[in-house]
């Protein structure tokens, strides 16, 4: 947490002086804040306290509202995945599952997702961004990322999601840089961006064209992780279907025999 190791604590949690140290304020000032004896804190002080206490976005907003200082724009999309979500990914052996950041970067995945899509651990962080890959990847034009059947729908919905994310994080250089890169490099993205549409339409079913096992048709369920502005995407095949058999095969062979993604 940025604090030196000390003696074992009798009770969990941070001491006042530790919170003050992490927030870069004096212990006396923090004590007066706790006791409602200090002047109204600035947004900067509230932001420092939120970071020190590792508050979620919802908790951060609540802190600002309690202090009478509505929060400013969020600093940037969270890339930290809760351990409970990571554990959940590994408890879905018959489903391929990934976690996406607000900018469609794959920030967590299970083994079956790596076998179905590609080995994300072998990619740079830049190449794990699905929007960048969809609009600027080497498969364009004429080819589809992972051979998916809903390439056009994904392009439209991802552009809509990114526009909404850009509104939530107007000062984040990675978000603005990604938008500028896509606008400069993709006429398709520029056309979709110009519609100003932020109403994404869910994809309920899609087919992956896998280089080893052929077509894999899956249901697609997207669960919001609201406090981190992330999405958990789960791909499952109908029980007893050829696609379910294909996923079982992929769970055995993993990524070791996979060719290059389409």
């Amino acid at each position: 947490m940025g604090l030196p190791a000390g003696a074992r604590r009798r009770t969990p949690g941070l001491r006042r002086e530790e919170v003050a140290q992490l927030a870069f304020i004096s212990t006396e000032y923090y004590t007066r804040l706790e006791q409602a004896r200090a002047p109204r804190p600035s947004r900067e002080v509230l932001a420092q306290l939120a970071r020190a206490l590792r508050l979620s976005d919802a908790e951060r907003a609540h802190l600002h509202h309690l202090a009478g200082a509505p929060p400013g724009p969020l600093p940037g999309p969270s890339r930290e995945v809760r351990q409970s979500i990571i554990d959940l990914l590994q408890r879905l052996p018959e489903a391929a599952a990934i976690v996406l950041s607000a900018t469609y970067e794959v920030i967590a995945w299970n083994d079956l997702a790596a076998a179905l899509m590609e080995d994300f651990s072998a990619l740079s962080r830049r190449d794990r961004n699905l929007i960048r890959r969809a609009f600027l990847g080497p498969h364009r034009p004429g080819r589809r990322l992972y051979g998916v059947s809903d390439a056009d729908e994904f392009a439209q919905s991802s552009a809509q999601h990114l526009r909404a994310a850009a509104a939530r994080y107007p000062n984040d250089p990675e978000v603005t840089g990604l938008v500028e890169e896509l606008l400069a490099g993709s006429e398709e993205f520029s056309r979709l961006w110009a519609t100003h549409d932020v109403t994404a339409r869910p994809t309920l079913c899609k087919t992956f064209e896998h280089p080893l096992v052929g077509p894999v048709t899956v249901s697609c369920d997207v669960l919001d992780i609201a406090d981190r502005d992330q999405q958990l995407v789960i791909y499952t095949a109908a029980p007893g279907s050829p696609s379910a058999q294909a996923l079982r095969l992929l769970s055995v062979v993993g990524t070791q025999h996979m060719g290059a993604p389409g």
Side-chain angles (χ1 to χ4, degrees):
M1 291 194 59
L3 295 171
R8 184 175 181 179
R9 300 171 186 267
R10 293 182 178 178
T11 58
L14 294 172
R15 303 183 181 94
R16 283 176 175 169
E17 60 270 19
E18 292 171 335
V19 176
Q21 179 183 341
L22 290 170
F24 303 102
I25 59 178
S26 70
T27 303
E28 179 185 359
Y29 178 47
Y30 178 70
T31 301
R32 287 191 286 120
L33 282 176
E34 277 193 341
Q35 298 171 348
R37 295 189 295 109
R40 179 177 293 178
S42 66
R43 282 191 176 89
E44 290 74 16
V45 168
L46 292 171
Q48 290 166 194
L49 285 170
R51 284 194 297 269
L53 297 171
R54 297 187 176 182
L55 301 185
S56 67
D57 290 342
E59 292 167 337
R60 167 182 172 272
H62 185 58
L63 173 65
H64 277 262
H65 287 297
L66 286 176
L74 295 170
S78 174
R79 299 183 62 256
E80 183 178 349
V81 182
R82 286 203 308 267
Q83 185 61 47
S84 60
I85 298 296
I86 294 176
D87 293 341
L88 175 61
L89 294 178
Q90 304 312 317
R91 295 188 182 117
L92 299 172
E94 296 183 2
I98 59 176
V99 178
L100 297 175
S101 73
T103 58
Y104 272 62
E105 179 186 343
V106 179
I107 52 179
W109 57 91
N110 64 7
D111 292 341
L112 189 52
L116 175 65
M117 301 169 75
E118 65 183 308
D119 184 2
F120 295 108
S121 66
L123 301 178
S124 67
R125 179 186 164 194
R126 173 184 175 83
D127 288 337
R128 288 200 295 267
N129 187 289
L130 298 187
I131 295 182
R132 179 181 283 113
R133 295 284 298 283
F135 287 101
L136 304 178
H139 58 283
R140 307 290 291 187
R143 297 182 66 195
R144 299 167 296 169
L145 181 62
Y146 311 129
V148 292
S149 58
D150 66 331
D152 293 339
E153 291 84 354
F154 176 80
Q156 183 175 8
S157 65
S158 63
Q160 292 163 349
H161 275 291
L162 185 57
R163 177 171 279 285
R168 292 194 300 275
Y169 308 103
N171 301 320
D172 182 70
E174 286 197 17
V175 175
T176 56
L178 176 60
V179 172
E180 291 171 357
E181 180 183 358
L182 291 166
L183 287 172
S186 171
E187 292 184 3
E188 181 184 10
F189 179 83
S190 297
R191 175 179 56 79
L192 293 170
W193 187 261
T195 66
H196 293 266
D197 188 358
V198 295
T199 306
R201 297 160 185 81
T203 297
L204 302 180
C205 183
K206 69 168 65 185
T207 299
F208 290 85
E209 192 64 43
H210 194 276
L212 178 64
V213 298
V216 182
T217 299
V218 293
S219 298
C220 179
D221 292 289
V222 180
L223 308 178
D224 286 330
I225 307 172
D227 65 315
R228 302 291 174 93
D229 198 7
Q230 298 167 357
Q231 293 182 318
L232 171 60
V233 185
I234 304 174
Y235 301 115
T236 55
S241 67
S243 292
Q245 296 174 9
L247 286 181
R248 280 196 293 273
L249 176 59
L250 288 175
S251 70
V252 174
V253 300
T255 60
Q256 57 186 326
H257 298 299
M258 286 176 61

